[in-house]
Amino acid sequence: MSRACGSGTLLGLNKKRSARPQSMSVRTRFAPSPTGFLHIGGLRTALFCWLYARRHGGQFILRIEDTDLERSTPEAIRQILDGMEWAGLDADEGPFRQTERFARYREVIELLLAQGKAYRCYCTKEELDRLRAEQMARGEKPRYDGRWRDRVDSRPGVQPVVRFKNPLHGEVVVEDAVHGRVVFQNSELDDLIISRSDGTPTYNFCVVVDDMDMRITHVIRGDDHLNNTPRQQNLLEALGCKPPIYAHLPMILGADGAKLSKRHGAVSVLQYRDEGYLPEALLNYLVRLGWSHGDQEFFTIDDMVRSFDISDVNKSASAFNPEKLAWLNQQHLMRAPPERLAEPLRWQLERLGVVGADEAKLLRIIMVQRERCKTLVEMAAQSLFFFSAPTSYDEKQVRKHVSTAVVDILRDLAGALERLGEWAAPALHSLISGAADRSGLSLGKVAQPVRLALCGGTVSPPIDATLAILGREESVDRLRRAVNEWALMIPPLP
RNA sequence: GCUCCCUUCGUCUAGAGGCCUAGGACACGGCCCUCUCAAGGCUGUAACACCGGUUCGAAUCCGGUAGGGAGCGCCA
């Protein structure tokens, strides 16, 4: 079993003067616990780990921290894996599961015990609860007082836990790549439990053993872990290992500035897929939360990999802003190769009941719709009329745009369209504007009723483009059907 | 309560002592373009938490205050 671990080149401590890719191979890891779905906070952490590894040609490792047997679920694991896959954050190693490594943890615990670096504690939970309550009452920081630290006896009938002998004096210095130097006093730390009374290892311990065994060089995680870091560093030291480089990322808050919770926008990342967001747009949005690269707002995945640097990460928490996400999604829709959008659009259309749309038609729709939609859900909904004729017409708009004169124009137009030579946007445009001119009407006065006839409403891509995609037969058909219906509705002029 | 962290427009951010009359982006308003809706262009409103100090000069450095957050589990 390898004992090697990351050598601690301190990087990123000097802003704008960060280390170039170092000779040792960068290894990062994302280590979610499967007690719930993967939400944007987790995704952002995963993204930064992934980007850092990719940027430096290193490895990105996925590890499932499922030591909490009570709360971990297979569905959550599935869900996390699906989310990562959708986002395109591919792991070079893993997913590893901590439950598969219990023998290894046991081995390290025995080692620490044998070396006198850990000890058995026979306190009961009740005893510890009492201790905590007393300390709180006295206004002290609640912590274990080390009462079994130097005892060699045992207490019959009590299954002991194993605690790590944290140094009593001195300080622990965390050299954090985003926060800089953070100093903790050992006197503030207590002897943490590394093995429960049922023999299972605990989180802080497993993390350390795993990061050591997996030779993780950069631990990039949420800054809610900053307070755990000194303990982990002490543990690592007791194991004869130099600490990795730590980078603690600021939290992401809900849109209201409050902590992300189930009630405040903490939804599965897969929900963004369902709502019609592109993963690259979500990632683009997320990468700009707590990180920036000058004034650049739009990043492709490649742009991110090229530009990402831990030393540009900032320290303060940021609020999630759905409007900006929507804007970025539209930017990505507008700039992506149309082929990129075909499958996700098809999927959204299918959810609305449109089956078997052909690829070429989808691409044409994408070209005319992408700059008028924030999401693929919107694009699909606004493109339904390309697949089925309107079943009704917006009544208010009909009253506004349709008159007997207009009905006559549309009737003529239907005939002209039938005879038109080349069925393409430029020819369609001149045909319609010609018809408008001859009637002394503006283009809009003709285009709007045509739109109403084709789509049922007054919002669509440019009328020539809409006709072009709909095709001659379908267009003429819809126009005639509308003309017939409207001719009955409108009373003839006296 | 104790320890640690954070603080520039409503939001995301630029800014590493003079380039700052504080820049960009989202959102919001106005104008332009225009067959609808958009997209796009131009433009407007809007911020250095506060108080001291260092300095010829501070958003930037130092100290304090206030506010916010995290951690203090046989959770992760």
Side-chain angles (χ1 to χ4, degrees), chain A residues 281 285 288-289 297 321-330:
Chain A
Y285 177 71
R288 285 282 292 100
L289 249 32
E297 298 288 352
N321 183 338
E323 276 98 31
K324 188 149 184 182
L325 202 214
W327 175 78
L328 269 172
N329 199 51
Q330 180 170 37

Side-chain angles (χ1 to χ4, degrees), chain A residues 34-35 66-74 99 102 125 196 198 200:
Chain A
T35 53
D66 56 351
T67 51
D68 184 351
L69 275 11
E70 299 291 307
R71 298 195 302 151
S72 298
T73 66
T99 45
F102 275 12
K125 282 180 192 168
R196 302 182 181 99
D198 66 1
T200 58

Side-chain angles (χ1 to χ4, degrees), chain A residues 385 388-390 393 453-454 470 474-482:
Chain A
F385 66 81
S388 53
Y393 306 98
L454 301 176
L470 231 29
E474 185 66 24
S475 299
V476 170
D477 195 54
R478 289 189 191 184
L479 218 40
R480 291 230 162 96
R481 211 175 327 159

Side-chain angles (χ1 to χ4, degrees), chain A residues 12 40 50-51 72 122 159-160 183 190 255 265 273 297-298 325 331 372 402 421 429 436-437 452 460 475:
Chain A
I40 53 169
W50 183 88
L51 283 174
S72 298
Y122 290 84
Q159 282 299 315
V183 181
D190 62 0
R273 172 198 62 190
E297 298 288 352
F298 181 89
L325 202 214
Q331 293 298 313
R372 48 200 104 232
V402 180
H429 186 270
D437 284 348
L452 225 26
S460 89
S475 299

Side-chain angles (χ1 to χ4, degrees), chain A residues 11 26 28 48-56 218 220 310:
Chain A
L11 118 173
V26 166
T28 63
F48 280 25
C49 292
W50 183 88
L51 283 174
Y52 195 75
R54 292 288 168 267
R55 163 87 158 87
H56 293 94
H218 295 72
I220 302 171
I310 281 288

Side-chain angles (χ1 to χ4, degrees), chain A residues 143-156:
Chain A
R143 44 204 265 275
Y144 178 66
D145 61 2
R147 57 181 66 173
W148 284 86
R149 186 174 168 113
D150 298 310
R151 288 174 69 164
V152 288
D153 57 328
S154 63
R155 189 184 279 173

Side-chain angles (χ1 to χ4, degrees), chain A residues 127 164 287 321 342 369 380 431:
Chain A
E127 201 174 343
F164 171 64
V287 83
N321 183 338
Q369 290 287 40
L431 184 75

